């Protein structure tokens, strides 16, 4: 009888498993490429999260690495076009997508999960998505980045896709999209999961490195990390892990390398190309961040999982979600004050005004001279400006002044007391353990899977009627009081 009972329970489990498999949702993912980076990392995590519950297909514009953990179909019409309209017509791309889906599943998929649909890396992308919508495909559009947030050359002139479900990765973006016209029933918050770095080692290593684990694109504000290195007290070296990929970022990155070499600064570049990443983390005294723009904000969470202190610049609108969970980030600074006299207000205003006007032209927005003046004077109201609002040329001017003029060095400490002891935080060990525990308890794969499946069910079952007001959306990002030359203008020409 006992054996019969076991067999009966086993058969019940098998029946339930088959039922789940028969009813498994069929999810198609679309992204421009699957190259290593933030969005691709998220896509991999999503596949890991739902892999036991859903059937998955990935469509991409570039050929993937052979180890990608899902069935992938390469569709060239999805790749980056860099602003050049290619010969492949949107309708044909949409038809190819539909055929790829039908080749995977006879009855098609339940929905298409699209990553970063509002960034014009492919000039035909919105037309492709609209063609898919007309063919009856249900779309879930997950936004990681906004062209309105410092990327005017990646801005679509067309209206964003209407009457479909959208996803936002943080509360800031969620609230902005609500204000721009989306409705709650069609907008979903989808915070990422965190992969623990798990590099804590009992092996003692000389900790004379301050690590900035980053691909050094311009918005990561490498100049500020270099400025901070001038105030390191214990002979540490600033290590930056990865070079950028894009031509604009590479030009400026090379200028920083030349500047550092010429001025014999304790900064090393490309460290991730020649050293094991885990070894770099283990040998660092703390990890720094100086980024001025983030999507989800992995950099504010991952260091703690490696048992390392994070120190540097806080982005309040991104960190709000983390602090609401109980993660303590109050030791980070939100502004690095630089006396305007170090640059000259007249010179700064002319560069600032030129950049604002150029940006407004790219977005087809008109602006009055009085608006420009008022915005600028609010930016320098106390005769200082945040270092993160300066372009690289001005940043190098400031660093040179600090290097060659001792009174300016002392003045910066006076204005920014945290510069007197970078990385020194009372109760560091307790802080690290507190944050680590909350992060590993909160951003789990199980929670991520449940969030995704809940969203997918709503996308399939709940029709929505809404649209994004693009002008309202732009106005929420194009804030003159926080207008950054580093973010908005190419300083390398």
């Amino acid at each position: 009888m006992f054996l019969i009972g076991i067999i009966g329970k086993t058969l019940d489990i098998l029946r339930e498993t088959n039922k789940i498999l028969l009813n498994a949702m069929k999810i198609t993912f679309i992204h421009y490429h699957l190259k290593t980076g933030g969005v691709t990392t998220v896509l991999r995590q999503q596949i890991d999260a739902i892999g036991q519950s859903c059937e998955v297909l990935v469509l991409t514009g570039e050929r993937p690495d052979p180890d990608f953990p899902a069935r992938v179909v390469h569709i060239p019409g999805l790749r980056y076009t860099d602003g050049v309209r290619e010969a492949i017509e949107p309708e044909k791309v949409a038809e190819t997508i539909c055929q790829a889906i039908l080749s995977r599943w006879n009855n098609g998929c339940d929905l298409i999960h699209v990553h970063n649909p509002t960034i014009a890396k492919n000039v035909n992308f919105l037309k492709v998505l609209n063609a898919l919508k007309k063919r009856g495909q249900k779309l879930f559009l997950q936004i990681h980045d906004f062209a309105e947030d410092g990327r005017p050359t990646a801005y679509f002139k067309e209206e964003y896709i209407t009457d479909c479900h959208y996803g936002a990765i943080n509360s800031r973006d969620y609230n902005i999209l609500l204000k721009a016209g989306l409705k709650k029933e069609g907008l979903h918050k989808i915070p990422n999961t965190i992969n623990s770095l798990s590099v804590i080692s009992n092996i003692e290593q000389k900790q004379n490195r301050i690590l900035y684990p980053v691909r050094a694109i311009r918005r990561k504000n490498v100049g500020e990390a270099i400025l901070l290195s001038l105030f390191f007290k214990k002979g540490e070296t600033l290590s930056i892990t990865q070079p950028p990929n894009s031509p604009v970022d590479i030009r400026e990155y090379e200028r920083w390398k030349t500047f550092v070499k010429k001025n014999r600064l304790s900064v090393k570049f490309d460290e991730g190309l020649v050293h094991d990443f885990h070894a770099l983390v283990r040998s660092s005294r703390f990890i720094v961040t100086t980024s001025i723009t983030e999507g989800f904000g992995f950099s504010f969470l991952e260091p703690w999982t490696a048992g390392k202190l994070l120190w540097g610049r806080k982005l309040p609108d991104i960190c709000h979600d983390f602090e609401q969970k109980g993660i303590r980030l109050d030791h980070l600074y939100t502004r690095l004050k630089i006396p305007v006299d170090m640059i000259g207000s007249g010179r700064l205003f002319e560069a600032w005004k030129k950049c604002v006007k150029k940006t407004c032209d790219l977005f087809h927005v008109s602006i009055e001279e009085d608006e420009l003046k008022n915005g600028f004077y609010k930016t320098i109201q106390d005769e200082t400006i945040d270092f993160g609002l300066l372009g690289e040329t001005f940043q190098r001017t400031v660093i040179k002044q600090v290097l060659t003029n001792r009174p300016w060095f002392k003045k910066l400490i006076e204005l920014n007391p945290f510069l007197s002891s970078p990385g020194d935080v009372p109760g560091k060990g307790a802080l690290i353990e507190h944050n680590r525990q909350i992060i590993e308890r909160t951003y789990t794969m199980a929670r991520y899977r449940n969030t995704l499946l809940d969203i997918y069910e709503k996308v399939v079952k709940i029709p929505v009627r809404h649209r994004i007001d693009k002008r309202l959306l732009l106005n929420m990002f194009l804030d003159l009081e926080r207008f950054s030359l580093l973010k908005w203008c190419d300083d390398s020409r």
Side-chain angles (χ1 to χ4, degrees):
M1 290 295 293
F2 178 72
L3 182 60
I4 292 172
I6 292 176
I7 293 171
K9 287 182 180 179
T10 302
L11 289 172
D12 287 342
I13 291 171
L14 288 172
R15 288 191 196 100
E16 190 62 30
T17 301
N18 286 333
K19 182 180 176 183
I20 291 171
L21 290 173
L22 286 171
N23 295 322
M25 295 190 76
K26 300 170 179 62
I27 310 299
T28 299
F29 290 95
I30 289 181
H31 188 42
Y32 304 107
H33 62 77
L34 298 177
K35 296 176 182 177
T36 302
V39 176
T40 301
T41 298
V42 171
L43 180 50
R44 282 175 174 266
Q45 289 174 337
Q46 290 174 345
I47 291 168
D48 288 344
I50 67 171
Q52 299 300 315
S53 307
C54 302
E55 297 178 28
V56 171
L57 174 66
V58 180
L59 309 179
T60 183
E62 301 284 348
R63 294 193 182 279
D65 293 335
D67 67 339
F68 196 82
R71 185 180 298 189
V72 180
V73 176
H74 173 222
I75 298 179
L78 293 174
R79 67 175 177 259
Y80 282 0
T81 57
D82 295 321
V84 179
R85 190 170 298 277
E86 294 194 334
I88 305 175
E89 295 177 4
E91 288 288 340
K92 290 184 178 179
V93 177
E95 181 60 29
T96 303
I97 289 170
C98 291
Q99 288 300 321
I101 293 170
L102 290 172
S103 295
R104 175 76 167 92
W105 302 292
N106 291 336
N107 296 320
C109 63
D110 291 291
L111 64 90
I112 301 176
H113 184 157
V114 184
H115 286 276
N116 253 3
T118 64
I119 297 289
K121 291 295 188 178
N122 180 308
V123 295
N124 289 325
F125 201 48
L126 292 183
K127 293 183 175 67
V128 171
L129 296 180
N130 269 318
L132 291 172
K133 196 177 78 165
K134 288 177 183 177
R135 284 168 165 79
Q137 300 285 356
K138 294 183 183 295
L139 303 179
F140 174 53
L141 310 182
Q142 183 175 351
I143 295 177
H144 300 267
D145 306 289
F146 293 89
E148 292 84 355
D149 190 19
R151 301 184 180 188
T153 57
Y155 185 63
F156 278 113
K157 294 179 181 178
E158 304 101 308
E159 184 176 22
Y160 295 136
I161 309 300
T162 62
D163 305 332
C164 66
H165 288 252
Y166 278 83
I169 57 178
N170 57 51
S171 294
R172 181 202 68 172
D173 296 352
Y174 179 86
N175 291 325
I176 283 173
L177 287 167
L178 281 180
K179 292 175 183 176
L182 295 187
K183 297 176 181 177
K184 288 185 178 181
E185 59 266 29
L187 178 61
H188 312 280
K189 199 184 297 183
I190 180 170
N192 295 319
T193 187
I194 301 299
N195 293 330
S196 176
L197 292 181
S198 301
V199 297
I200 302 172
S201 172
N202 294 325
I203 301 173
E204 287 293 324
Q205 295 200 27
K206 185 180 180 181
Q207 297 184 329
N208 65 343
R209 172 183 281 114
I210 310 301
L211 188 66
Y212 192 6
V214 68
R215 187 167 296 282
I217 58 178
R218 295 181 69 230
R219 64 183 173 88
K220 297 300 182 179
N221 196 14
V222 168
E224 185 165 309
I226 293 170
L227 175 63
L228 295 180
S229 75
L230 306 185
F231 297 86
F232 293 166
K233 297 294 185 183
K234 302 173 183 178
E236 297 103 340
T237 296
L238 172 68
S239 291
I240 298 168
T241 53
Q242 296 290 336
N245 289 321
S246 73
V248 170
D249 292 319
I250 290 171
R251 284 198 299 269
E252 204 52 62
Y253 184 67
E254 291 300 324
R255 287 187 177 186
W256 279 121
K257 291 170 81 169
T258 299
F259 180 84
V260 162
K261 184 177 181 180
K262 181 178 179 180
N263 291 282
R264 298 180 180 179
L265 304 182
S266 296
V267 179
K268 292 184 178 180
F269 297 89
D270 307 332
E271 289 278 78
L273 302 181
V274 293
H275 296 291
D276 174 73
F277 177 69
H278 288 181
L280 288 172
V281 174
R282 282 197 299 270
S283 63
S284 63
R285 186 164 77 87
F286 62 88
I287 291 174
V288 72
T289 178
T290 54
S291 176
I292 58 168
T293 302
E294 289 293 327
F296 175 67
F298 284 108
S299 58
F300 295 105
L301 301 179
E302 290 177 333
W304 308 103
T305 69
K308 292 294 179 178
L309 176 81
L310 175 72
W311 190 84
R313 177 180 286 271
K314 180 166 78 170
L315 303 176
D317 53 355
I318 298 299
C319 292
H320 172 77
D321 286 350
F322 309 145
E323 292 178 312
Q324 288 290 101
K325 302 289 186 185
I327 297 166
R328 290 166 49 195
L329 301 171
D330 50 301
H331 63 288
L332 306 179
Y333 62 85
T334 58
R335 193 166 185 259
L336 205 170
K337 297 180 182 179
I338 302 298
V340 175
D341 287 348
M342 292 185 77
I343 302 165
S345 60
R347 180 181 169 218
L348 179 59
F349 176 62
E350 287 305 313
W352 187 89
K353 179 171 69 172
K354 181 181 178 182
C355 183
V356 172
K357 284 185 172 181
K358 179 181 177 182
T359 299
C360 289
D361 287 344
L362 289 170
F363 282 119
H364 306 289
V365 173
S366 61
I367 188 165
E368 301 294 331
E369 190 72 20
D370 286 346
E371 288 182 78
L372 285 168
K373 290 179 180 178
N374 290 336
F376 180 72
Y377 288 125
K378 287 179 180 178
T379 301
I380 61 166
Q381 205 164 38
D382 59 356
E383 298 302 319
T384 69
I385 187 167
D386 182 9
F387 191 83
L389 300 182
L390 299 175
E392 291 94 336
T393 299
F394 286 129
Q395 289 187 345
R396 281 187 281 270
T397 297
V398 170
I399 295 171
K400 191 69 175 177
Q401 294 266 45
V402 173
L403 281 169
T404 59
N405 192 325
R406 188 67 183 177
W408 281 129
F409 182 92
K410 293 180 178 178
K411 182 65 176 178
L412 259 59
I413 293 177
E414 180 186 324
L415 290 170
N416 309 281
F418 53 84
L419 290 178
S420 64
S421 54
D424 289 342
V425 177
K428 182 178 79 169
L431 175 63
I432 291 171
E433 184 59 18
H434 171 86
N435 285 348
R436 184 189 66 78
Q437 288 187 16
I438 291 178
I439 291 163
E440 293 186 348
R441 185 171 65 243
T442 302
Y443 297 95
T444 65
M445 187 62 79
R447 287 192 179 190
Y448 197 43
R449 177 175 59 253
N450 292 338
T451 298
L452 281 166
L453 295 178
D454 181 60
I455 291 171
Y456 290 163
E457 186 175 353
K458 290 174 181 175
V459 172
V460 170
K461 293 181 177 179
I462 302 174
V464 290
R465 295 279 295 173
H466 59 184
R467 59 180 290 274
I468 295 172
D469 185 320
K470 294 185 69 179
R471 185 48 51 92
L472 278 177
L473 184 62
L474 176 60
N475 289 343
M476 281 181 269
F477 283 108
L478 194 53
D479 180 357
L480 294 188
E481 293 183 34
R482 298 190 301 167
F483 189 88
S484 171
L485 299 178
L486 182 62
K487 178 191 290 188
W488 291 97
C489 284
D490 177 7
D491 207 25
S492 65
R493 293 193 182 97

